[in-house]
């Protein structure tokens, strides 16, 4: 039991001093514990199905982060009446009830979806999403920088960058932010980004790139990440992912579609950045939903102040139990 409380670095030292445990990767106990949290929706500390904000927007593909001033911030998308996706910003004090603040992308940029957000060390915010041209198509990664919380809530953009596609002639998208390094400011920065590209214009596969000085973009395919899911027999898309540090170890939560075109075949995997391996999850909801997509995972403090892991998943109607389709938010304290 004690080993489950150690960090990856502590576990590595323990492995060096204890040859009998040398065959077990140091991240194994933490990955197993995280997987048990991800799987146990019905026993979560807090949860909400079919999440909407107080203005009535669905909060699909929501990414939630801690608000340094108290409470929480979230970006998500909804399908507007004109048939275009739009990105919204919302705030909360309890992780389950959300107050709509404003639209951040979609009306003026063309369809915008799959947003993510992270705060930099200087208090600014980097947001990324999947951008389409106004008439549809040309899916690519878009980035915006807000210099402060006040600017974010006002929708005041300081820096903008749209990344040209490099790995697919058809589409690239579903970003997550691994890290932001300022040296010392956003104009001298490195932002580490994950995403997918439409491999051969046929199936989604993984990429990882760098946005440098908010003015240049480079990226590369991540075949080893793909292989971790292909091992399990995933035959369709390998798409959206997110990353968090838990027990001192880095883990991802990623979607894999077993059958191309079948929304009911989406499943979740916990990816171990230390070993390059992935575990398939068996997620248990209250009603017994079976399909899950568009994950995010965030390590934060729960409303009661305890450390917690927060997960959001989209439950497609093809695999949803009654009353559970749409966006799911749940968290577990530990």
């Amino acid at each position: 039991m004690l080993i489950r409380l150690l960090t990856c670095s502590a576990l590595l030292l323990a492995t060096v001093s204890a040859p009998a445990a040398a065959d077990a990767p140091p991240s194994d106990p933490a990955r197993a514990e995280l997987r048990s949290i991800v799987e146990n929706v019905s026993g979560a500390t807090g949860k909400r199905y079919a999440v909407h904000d107080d203005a009535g927007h669905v909060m699909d593909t929501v990414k939630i982060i801690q608000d340094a001033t108290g409470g929480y911030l979230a970006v998500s998308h909804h399908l507007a009446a004109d048939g275009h996706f739009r990105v919204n910003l919302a705030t909360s004090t309890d992780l389950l009830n959300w107050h709509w603040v404003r639209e951040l992308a979609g009306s003026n940029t063309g369809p915008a979806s799959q947003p993510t957000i992270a705060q930099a060390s200087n208090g600014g915010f980097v947001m990324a999403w999947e951008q389409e041209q106004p008439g549809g198509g040309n899916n690519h990664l878009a980035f915006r920088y807000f210099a402060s919380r006040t600017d974010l809530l006002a929708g005041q953009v300081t820096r903008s960058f749209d990344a040209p596609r490099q790995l697919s002639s058809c589409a690239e998208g579903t970003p997550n932010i691994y890290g932001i390094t300022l040296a010392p400011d956003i104009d001298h920065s490195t932002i580490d980004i994950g995403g997918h590209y439409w491999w051969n214009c046929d199936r989604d596969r993984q990429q990882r790139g760098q946005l440098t000085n908010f003015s240049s973009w480079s990226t590369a395919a991540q075949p080893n990440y793909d292989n971790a899911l292909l091992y399990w027999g995933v035959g369709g898309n390998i798409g959206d992912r997110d990353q968090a540090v838990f027990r001192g170890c880095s883990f991802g939560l990623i979607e894999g579609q077993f059958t191309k075109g079948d929304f009911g075949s989406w499943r979740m995997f916990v990816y171990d950045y230390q070993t390059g391996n992935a575990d398939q999850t068996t997620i248990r909801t209250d009603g017994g939903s079976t399909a899950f997509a568009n994950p995010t995972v965030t390590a934060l403090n729960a409303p009661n102040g305890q450390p917690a892991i927060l997960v959001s998943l989209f439950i497609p109607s093809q695999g949803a139990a009654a009353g559970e389709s749409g966006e799911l938010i749940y968290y577990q304290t530990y």
Side-chain angles (χ1 to χ4, degrees):
M1 187 66 176
L2 177 60
I3 199 170
R4 293 169 68 85
L5 301 178
L6 298 174
T7 66
C8 270
S9 57
L11 280 165
L12 184 57
L13 291 173
T15 300
V16 170
S17 62
D23 290 340
S27 56
D28 274 6
R31 188 175 74 246
E33 184 180 1
L34 178 62
R35 188 178 71 245
S36 70
I37 291 173
V38 171
E39 291 179 332
N40 190 17
V41 180
S42 58
T45 305
K47 60 179 178 289
R48 178 146 298 171
Y49 297 95
V51 179
H52 290 66
D53 63 30
D54 59 4
H57 309 109
V58 298
M59 295 180 64
D60 292 347
T61 72
V62 65
K63 173 63 178 178
I64 297 166
I65 61 173
Q66 200 102 42
D67 186 345
T69 68
Y72 309 92
L73 299 165
V75 289
S76 62
H77 77 232
H78 80 284
L79 189 63
D82 61 4
H84 291 166
F85 286 110
R86 297 183 181 177
V87 169
N88 290 319
L89 174 69
T91 61
S92 176
T93 59
D94 63 4
L95 289 172
L96 303 179
N97 297 285
W98 291 91
H99 168 63
W100 180 77
V101 176
R102 66 168 51 253
E103 180 183 311
L104 290 175
S107 291
N108 299 322
T109 62
S113 62
Q114 314 283 346
T116 190
I117 192 169
Q119 188 167 21
S121 58
N122 65 351
F125 293 85
V126 174
M127 190 173 79
W129 66 83
E130 183 171 336
Q131 180 64 53
E132 299 178 51
Q133 64 187 15
N138 190 32
N139 292 48
H140 62 276
L141 297 174
F143 301 92
R144 301 293 185 267
Y145 175 69
F146 303 87
S148 66
R149 183 183 185 276
T150 298
D151 283 358
L152 176 66
L153 268 60
Q156 182 64 47
V157 174
T158 302
R159 297 286 184 276
S160 299
F161 184 80
D162 281 53
R165 292 197 304 263
Q166 295 185 4
L167 301 177
S168 172
S169 61
C170 294
E172 299 181 13
T174 61
N176 72 290
I177 300 172
Y178 286 110
I180 304 168
T181 302
L182 304 180
D185 54 29
I186 197 64
D187 294 320
H188 306 84
S189 63
T190 302
I191 303 171
D192 187 3
I193 299 291
H196 83 259
Y197 69 100
W198 201 10
W199 170 71
N200 286 343
C201 299
D202 179 63
R203 288 172 172 84
D204 292 343
R205 293 294 184 261
Q206 295 303 290
Q207 66 168 308
R208 189 160 178 171
Q210 286 190 343
L211 176 59
T212 302
N213 301 336
F214 232 84
S215 61
S216 65
W217 170 249
S218 62
T219 190
Q222 299 289 290
N224 288 341
Y225 205 153
D226 295 328
N227 289 339
L229 272 65
L230 295 173
Y231 168 85
W232 291 97
V234 171
N237 291 323
I238 301 173
D240 202 1
R241 90 244 39 86
D242 200 17
Q243 178 267 349
V245 173
F246 176 68
R247 304 294 194 197
C249 306
S250 180
F251 298 107
L253 193 57
I254 182 170
E255 62 180 8
Q257 185 185 39
F258 275 88
T259 303
K260 180 183 176 182
D262 179 5
F263 282 84
S265 70
W266 283 109
R267 298 293 185 271
M268 280 299 117
F269 298 82
V270 174
Y271 181 79
D272 188 331
Y273 288 91
Q274 288 70 218
T275 66
N277 297 323
D279 293 341
Q280 185 178 348
T281 65
T282 302
I283 295 175
R284 302 179 300 277
T285 67
D286 294 83
S289 294
T290 57
F292 307 93
N294 297 114
T296 74
V297 58
T298 308
L300 42 65
N301 292 325
N304 66 0
Q306 287 185 270
I309 290 293
L310 179 138
V311 176
S312 70
L313 302 170
F314 182 77
I315 303 179
S317 58
Q318 291 87 338
E324 292 187 353
S325 65
E327 192 69 8
L328 164 65
I329 294 172
Y330 62 106
Y331 68 93
Q332 179 65 54
T333 58
Y334 62 94

